[in-house]
Amino acid sequence: MGIHNYFKSLSDLEGINRCPGKFKYQEHSVASHSFKVTKIAQFLGTVEEHHGTQIDWRKLYEKAINHDYPELFTGDIKTPVKYATPELKSLLSQVEEAMTKKFIEEEIPPEFQSIYELRFSEGKDESIEGKILAVADKIDLLYESFGEIQKGNPEPLFPEIYEEALATIVHYQELHCVQYFLESILPEMLEEGVIPYSQINKVSKQILGKKVTIV
Amino acid sequence: MGIHNYFKSLSDLEGINRCPGKFKYQEHSVASHSFKVTKIAQFLGTVEEHHGTQIDWRKLYEKAINHDYPELFTGDIKTPVKYATPELKSLLSQVEEAMTKKFIEEEIPPEFQSIYELRFSEGKDESIEGKILAVADKIDLLYESFGEIQKGNPEPLFPEIYEEALATIVHYQELHCVQYFLESILPEMLEEGVIPYSQINKVSKQILGKKVTIV
Amino acid sequence: MGIHNYFKSLSDLEGINRCPGKFKYQEHSVASHSFKVTKIAQFLGTVEEHHGTQIDWRKLYEKAINHDYPELFTGDIKTPVKYATPELKSLLSQVEEAMTKKFIEEEIPPEFQSIYELRFSEGKDESIEGKILAVADKIDLLYESFGEIQKGNPEPLFPEIYEEALATIVHYQELHCVQYFLESILPEMLEEGVIPYSQINKVSKQILGKKVTIV
Amino acid sequence: MGIHNYFKSLSDLEGINRCPGKFKYQEHSVASHSFKVTKIAQFLGTVEEHHGTQIDWRKLYEKAINHDYPELFTGDIKTPVKYATPELKSLLSQVEEAMTKKFIEEEIPPEFQSIYELRFSEGKDESIEGKILAVADKIDLLYESFGEIQKGNPEPLFPEIYEEALATIVHYQELHCVQYFLESILPEMLEEGVIPYSQINKVSKQILGKKVTIV
Amino acid sequence: MGIHNYFKSLSDLEGINRCPGKFKYQEHSVASHSFKVTKIAQFLGTVEEHHGTQIDWRKLYEKAINHDYPELFTGDIKTPVKYATPELKSLLSQVEEAMTKKFIEEEIPPEFQSIYELRFSEGKDESIEGKILAVADKIDLLYESFGEIQKGNPEPLFPEIYEEALATIVHYQELHCVQYFLESILPEMLEEGVIPYSQINKVSKQILGKKVTIV
Amino acid sequence: MGIHNYFKSLSDLEGINRCPGKFKYQEHSVASHSFKVTKIAQFLGTVEEHHGTQIDWRKLYEKAINHDYPELFTGDIKTPVKYATPELKSLLSQVEEAMTKKFIEEEIPPEFQSIYELRFSEGKDESIEGKILAVADKIDLLYESFGEIQKGNPEPLFPEIYEEALATIVHYQELHCVQYFLESILPEMLEEGVIPYSQINKVSKQILGKKVTIV
């Protein structure tokens, strides 16, 4: 029992890859996803606060950094399984809760158990911080799928993920930070595009043309 | 729709690692696990047949090569989740069956659907071939966990897996092939042991002693 | 000596990559290649049987699952070396046979040696099962090279492999299963194509257009 | 320019390994290190607060999640270089600050620049949150080096890192959370030890002894 | 102390990747970069000698094989940091020299120290061999960045690296070997291009057209 | 045709792993092996010269850097195959020579062909430089196998490789550089040993004992 096991388990999240099975140019672990979601949530919260929304920063950071930890207990259950029937979804939620509870009772000292129950509970609630987490989670997913498409991944799954992620973000468009994302960040991302191979020829000719006449 | 998707999905099994999360010296994909289980089942069937048991070889090979394919539909659901309650277990089985059925209807041409329904159904039944599959699956797991312990993996999970796998194999000890495994293969495995670092000094001294006197 | 060494050697096939040296987006081990070839042969046999050909399933599965095992003894000798002269080819075959024989004598118990001699002998003979193996082996190679070209691998080796693999498959076009492959599977594969980067812009505009007017 | 570049750069931290060059059984990226440090700091802050210390949680989380981001600008400069002379150290700090300033001016919109200047400044100051960050950073380093030693890494660098990390933690022993770590977590870690190979024999005998008499 | 440490350190260069952080399809270690630079310098020296230039081959090989070894002492300091100010550049050079000197004093036996001081000193001097090293180093960098662009890497860093590398090579155009590279090697490289996906369709149709009429 | 293909092929040697199949903690490519052998040969040559032997440095460096290049043409043929019969060995040598000749004729411009014929010929001849190459090649193999044994690799192959490599080195004991290796480098290597896990406890107690009394 103990916090040592808890600290050690953090490293297990470095060994769990997101979206296993499908070919990817770039793998992402659950640990580094959690890092990126927290950084993205930090920016979104900053935009939201700039527009006068009150942000409970402690709550926001806790939701973001902890949001995928329970995946350690349940493994990677595919979404179509999770949502197959309302009955199954409810049962799976109960099991996840029970396993989280058991982990806390076994590993977390009694004086900190209530705090960790809160930390490991579902983060994507209706509070502003819960909504920011939901958006940040999808923005990282959008970047992951965008990166694959941009690099030439022929797997139709990635445009599907991209579409689903963007649709979910748009669903939260009443948030200032989502408006900011759609107006100022997404266009920059889309502008980036790909680098055509012909650029190599162009650059080469420019350099050679400027300085030598031999080619 | 189509067999192309089915063929392509085989490669997805190359990208799914067994037992994700825990540190391992050597990763094993579901594809190569399936290969090894089939080869092990081949040997076990040979022993069984040698003792007069009648083996339906087609059935045995089909069970072995197909046994983990449905993991593509469901993902890697952790065992404690799967078996949390009888109700959940039954619901998850229903979902797996429904998803397998859906895959077959969408991807397999009608004339072959009934054959594939059989191929993707649970292989570990009470037939001799089903039992051999159950044993072969555990023998490969035994080798995987043995390999980690032998290489010095400090994770307590691996002795647990080893123990559980061996206990399951012993559970089938009425089979001739299990007796063969316990009598003739397991002792060889256990004898192998580790290579103490001191052997390097010994070997070095022998070589140097034989040929030079300088060291 | 013994079956333990044989079982352990299966894992060595997980560590041998196909076509070493050339840059690939996706590596494939000999173990997972064997798995895929067996699954493909299973389908081809099913088609063949559907057209009334009698299939010896035990023979087909054994040929498929064992066909690359002798690579463990010989290493990966490049094809142009293997076929450099008829004399060398014959000598290399003799050596491979001798090494396989030695392995069987040293590791396989006497009562099973004759079975394993058969299992480790050249599988691609003139029987229907031998032909299906030859086709299945090339179909997996076709998928491997297709996957590289589709992902943008600029190495001219892969179109060459693709071409050679497809030509060999066509060579067996009198088989029903080859006709099925050429008529029903290959066109699906070729239709798949690539995902143009511009799709990202299109999808983005559709989602944003439907729901927001801000961009 | 823009936040898109900032979001994209988070992924670069997934591709930077800690302590490059030395052989390691397990690699850790800067991204996943940042994740783990934030989770460890969360626990340390919880202990500290439990003992009545007032924690500014927003500050603590921001310090933890951002603390290694400037490594993107400077690369991985080896510690002996960094601390070679006071003059060099001071110059390198100036360059890091200048590059951070330049990044903020170029990529962060004006309205958020002052916030990000604070976020990217040196986190390990004399505040309680700065001290907790310093301890959490060393605890993760302790776990990394402990993991290597436990797995049998013969490189003398890892005991040196372990020693330096533990000595730094002890340096902060006036903190309640450090006392908690030394009293309750470190002993659990040290107890864990290694799994002797002989355990395999013992476990095997127990299982076989209980159930079969054949071995 | 000793040569053992020096020999062992060579392997550390296998574990240091070039240009860490940015996504790459293909990683290159400092060890294999050193190998390639030496082989390229060999060819350049051969061309130069063919045109009557006298080459000190020992000097050329020593410069090439040793040129990145000091990176072991300093780590990977990003170029913009290194060249931030003349003062910093000079201080960093002094530190690198001092660390190299310390390494030689601690690890290299006294009788060989003066030779290794020379070997570990800056190789890119104004001698013909120093210039060939400078060119060979950039040619390998050109190939690395070309390889990424050709494979479809969308990262703008790689065209920048390509441009800078080619500009530096052109800077040495008074060398016969550079003229040879620009006239005879670069055009071959640029001609290589990419393999359009459509080639697959073309090749497929040719093969199928020649032999079957079914598709 | 051309030097571009030759330069590009250098990178293929980065993708060929030595000793494929057997589990290793640390993989080594043919490219980085060539780098290390050249560096080791450099040191051995230096020792030899120090004892008055005349070294043709150009010849030594060329032999070392080029010695495994022909593996590109032949693939990795296992040693027992290569040496199965004198007839096969001789035929394989002829094929390797023919393929090397073909490569040179197709890719190397006529004016440099004779030089490259020499460079790609067997390097381990009876000259002092040929002997140093033979020793350097085995020293790197000794380090590779030593590294595996030291890290706890249970595979009996590695002590066998270690033994064979050391025996070959001793075979050349009339060389000054071999005597130096056996007297001054090997003992350092053997002294290094492993780091017992108990050292962690010792170090921990020392640090804690010195500074705190709480544990």
Side-chain angles (χ1 to χ4, degrees), chain B residues 41 45 55-64 129 132-133:
Chain B
I55 299 296
D56 180 339
W57 283 98
R58 175 181 184 170
K59 194 172 156 188
L60 179 57
Y61 284 122
E62 299 216 338
K63 280 175 182 294
E129 295 81 13
I132 290 176
L133 168 59

Side-chain angles (χ1 to χ4, degrees), chain D residues 176-212:
Chain D
H176 299 290
C177 61
V178 170
Q179 286 167 28
Y180 191 93
F181 177 75
L182 296 174
E183 280 169 31
S184 305
I185 302 175
L186 186 66
E188 276 188 81
M189 187 179 97
L190 294 174
E191 250 167 52
E192 193 172 85
V194 293
I195 294 171
Y197 176 72
S198 55
Q199 184 168 338
I200 277 291
N201 282 293
K202 217 178 111 195
V203 164
S204 302
K205 271 179 199 147
Q206 277 175 347
I207 294 171
L208 299 173
K210 269 190 306 200
K211 304 210 177 149
V212 294

